[in-house]
């Protein structure tokens, strides 16, 4: 994977990323056969596949893979586990990045909130990641034109940060 990161030629880079994806799908198949489809490692592999799709600028496949990662993490670890929260956060960011319509923004806000809830349950209301999520949610609210809600999120982020 490190070799792919350093590749400058776009076509060669995509070929290498495709090879990485092929290996990840092989690994995913082995994991699902040996560990079961609802194992945390299966969720982690789906999340990694999602990241590779993002590197290939295929946001639709990335989003689909991250949805699988979230669903598997919810079953395997529960909705309040920090690793599930990480996946909620990433899914929110991917929905925000899609920005195809108001539904993407709504799903982004939904998963930002799920990430906040999960991190607060797992780590309390003092985690730096909570500040980052609140900030990201505020930016999305500003994009939507909801300045009042954005300010509330930012105030909450400042309170957590202090």
């Amino acid at each position: 994977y490190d070799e792919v990161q350093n590749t400058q030629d776009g076509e060669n880079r995509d070929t290498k990323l495709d090879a990485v994806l092929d290996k990840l799908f092989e690994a995913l198949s082995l994991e699902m056969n040996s560990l079961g489809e609802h194992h945390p490692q299966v969720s982690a592999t789906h999340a990694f596949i999602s990241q590779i799709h993002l590197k290939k600028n295929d946001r639709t496949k990335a989003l689909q893979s991250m949805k699988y990662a979230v669903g598997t993490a919810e079953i395997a670890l529960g909705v309040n586990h920090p690793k599930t929260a990480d996946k909620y956060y990433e899914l929110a960011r991917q929905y925000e990045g899609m920005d195809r319509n108001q539904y993407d923004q709504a799903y982004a806000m939904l998963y930002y909130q799920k990430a906040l809830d999960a991190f607060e349950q797992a780590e309390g209301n003092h985690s730096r990641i909570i500040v980052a999520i609140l900030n990201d949610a505020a930016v999305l609210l500003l994009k939507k034109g909801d300045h009042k809600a954005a300010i509330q999120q930012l105030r909450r982020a400042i309170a957590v940060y202090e």
Side-chain angles (χ1 to χ4, degrees), residues 72-142:
T72 303
E74 287 176 332
I75 292 168
L77 302 168
V79 297
N80 292 323
H81 193 281
K83 289 183 180 180
T84 306
D86 281 332
K87 287 166 184 60
Y88 286 148
Y89 186 34
E90 180 58 31
L91 186 57
R93 292 171 51 168
Q94 286 189 25
Y95 269 117
E96 184 175 359
M98 292 290 281
D99 199 22
R100 299 168 294 195
N101 53 45
Q102 75 271 14
Y103 298 112
D104 286 339
Q105 291 180 351
Y107 280 121
M109 285 305 299
L110 170 71
Y111 285 104
Y112 280 137
Q113 188 59 54
K114 284 181 173 245
L116 280 171
D117 293 345
F119 276 120
E120 285 176 343
Q121 282 290 322
E123 300 175 2
N125 193 20
H126 59 276
S127 172
R128 298 260 177 177
I129 190 72
I130 290 173
V131 174
I133 295 167
L134 288 166
N135 186 62
D136 288 348
V139 169
L140 180 57
L141 289 166
L142 286 171

Side-chain angles (χ1 to χ4, degrees), residues 15-30:
T15 301
K16 289 181 179 183
L17 286 171
D18 285 338
V20 170
L21 279 173
D22 288 344
K23 295 296 182 191
L24 284 171
F25 281 117
E26 284 180 38
L28 181 63
S29 178
L30 290 170

